[in-house]
Amino acid sequence: METSAEGVAGTAGDEGAAAEPTAAVTVEAGMVEAVTVGAVERVAIAPASLSPSRASDFMQCPLLYRFRVIDRLPQKPSEAATRGTLVHSVLERLFDAPAAERTAPRAKSLIPGQWDRLRESRPEVVELFADDPEGERLARWLGEAERLVERWFSLEDPTRLEPAEREMFVEAELDSGLKLRGIIDRVDVAPTGDVRIVDYKTGKAPRPEYAEGALFQMKFYALVVWRLKQVVPRRLQLVYLGSGDVVTYDPVVADLERVERKLLSLWEAIRLATETGDWRPRPTKLCGWCDHQEVCPEFGGTPPPYPLPVRRADGGSDGGVEAAGGVSAESASGPEAAGGLSAKGS
């Protein structure tokens, strides 16, 4: 699992009350909140870093990337994603206990407390069960979280693990200036110094033909660790709690160099789309699950006015937020609908 704050010079925790009219600025996921007395003015800024999730968003659909990173459109919480967050927090906290006490019953006993903490930190998840006054659906949902946690014990033995890092935030700047960042679920370091990167997935393992896509996130992390520590991780490990599978991959330098080239190509496409305001939708079967159908041209919607200045062909700037407010239905189709990223680079 990966949670990112695409941004440039700050984190979500920087918000605060302002003593002066513009005393506090928060940067998160491509937006600035300039906090003024009695008001909050949201000003868009260009993205300046890339995480696995946002890279995947752009490869899936450039317009989806824009909606999430530039426009910061709200997304409804889902039961599946929220359950994944809950299970991750339980597996992280279990390692606070001595090795001998890391048992399935103890792990399951952590679920109610972690659910309470999640509701406090993200009140919007309470909406998931607003229409469940008797708590029956919530009970089934928590029961599924228990089953996922319990299944983990058939895949790994936490009494024999001493993670070097849990929920580890990593960030590295490439020679090109591109910043890569993300959060790694677990890092194990063997006595020999070998590094293993582990990621928990609460869904099912993908079919073999989709395995490469699933490994993209792990290779991204391996690249960041390599650039930070000058060490190529010995193993990348995906633990699928939904199906009870463990998928491993042992990367080599050539793998990480290929990923770096791909990310640089991707970032160039993002940079171009940011400057021109040309974010084209890429229709796929995944569109049916998108939260933003109402503002997507593929569904007859109109994107909100583009909040960044747009570079004209003559090198100038239109400057207004109305410029390139969206893409037309005509420009949304065809082989160019990859937001400037060719099929070879995607």
Side-chain angles (χ1 to χ4, degrees), residues 25-288:
V25 174
T26 299
V27 182
E28 180 190 7
M31 297 291 291
V32 170
E33 288 191 359
V35 184
T36 60
V37 175
V40 176
E41 179 186 359
R42 295 177 65 82
V43 182
I45 60 172
S49 66
L50 195 60
S51 72
S53 294
R54 299 294 79 83
S56 295
D57 283 346
F58 190 87
M59 290 187 288
Q60 175 185 326
C61 174
L63 188 57
L64 174 64
Y65 177 98
R66 180 203 143 169
F67 286 157
R68 287 181 170 171
V69 177
I70 304 295
D71 298 296
R72 299 285 314 283
L73 298 184
Q75 293 180 238
K76 296 178 181 178
S78 71
E79 290 190 15
T82 305
R83 183 169 48 232
T85 301
L86 174 61
V87 170
H88 276 74
S89 65
V90 168
L91 300 186
E92 180 192 4
R93 293 275 67 85
L94 182 65
F95 285 102
D96 291 340
E101 298 177 18
R102 298 171 194 161
T103 64
R106 181 184 182 94
K108 289 191 290 185
S109 74
L110 295 174
I111 291 176
Q114 292 303 309
W115 173 230
D116 289 341
R117 291 184 62 184
L118 182 57
R119 286 184 297 175
E120 291 174 4
S121 62
R122 294 175 53 190
E124 68 273 14
V125 303
V126 177
E127 300 173 11
L128 290 170
F129 303 102
D131 59 349
D132 183 36
E134 302 300 322
E136 295 179 359
R137 192 155 52 86
L138 173 60
R140 290 195 298 271
W141 183 83
L142 290 172
E144 179 58 26
E146 286 189 359
R147 286 187 286 275
L148 292 171
V149 168
E150 191 167 27
R151 182 172 290 150
W152 177 57
F153 287 82
S154 69
L155 305 175
E156 296 190 290
D157 182 358
T159 66
R160 303 179 62 183
L161 296 171
E162 291 297 340
E165 299 287 350
R166 291 173 277 154
E167 294 295 313
M168 178 185 179
F169 175 79
V170 291
E171 182 179 60
E173 184 171 333
L174 304 181
D175 293 340
S176 65
L178 170 59
K179 290 182 181 178
L180 304 179
R181 56 173 56 178
I183 299 176
I184 302 174
D185 287 346
R186 198 179 86 217
V187 178
D188 301 330
V189 179
T192 59
D194 287 341
V195 174
R196 176 172 64 183
I197 296 176
V198 181
D199 194 74
Y200 308 120
K201 300 294 185 185
T202 49
K204 297 180 179 180
R207 296 199 300 268
E209 59 265 35
Y210 299 111
E212 183 59 32
L215 283 170
F216 170 76
Q217 174 184 354
M218 304 302 284
K219 291 180 180 179
F220 184 111
Y221 291 145
L223 170 61
V224 175
V225 170
W226 179 40
R227 290 306 188 197
L228 281 175
K229 306 293 187 181
Q230 307 305 311
V231 173
V232 176
R234 175 70 178 82
R235 173 153 295 180
L236 310 178
Q237 182 166 301
L238 285 157
V239 181
Y240 288 96
L241 305 177
S243 56
D245 295 297
V246 176
V247 176
T248 62
Y249 184 83
D250 297 342
V252 296
V253 169
D255 288 324
L256 307 187
E257 290 175 337
R258 281 192 294 271
V259 171
E260 183 168 351
R261 290 194 296 270
K262 180 174 183 175
L263 291 174
L264 291 175
S265 175
L266 188 67
W267 188 247
E268 177 60 22
I270 291 172
R271 185 195 63 78
L272 181 62
T274 302
E275 292 182 354
T276 63
D278 187 6
W279 301 91
R280 305 190 182 192
R282 180 184 297 164
T284 68
K285 294 179 180 179
L286 296 174
C287 292

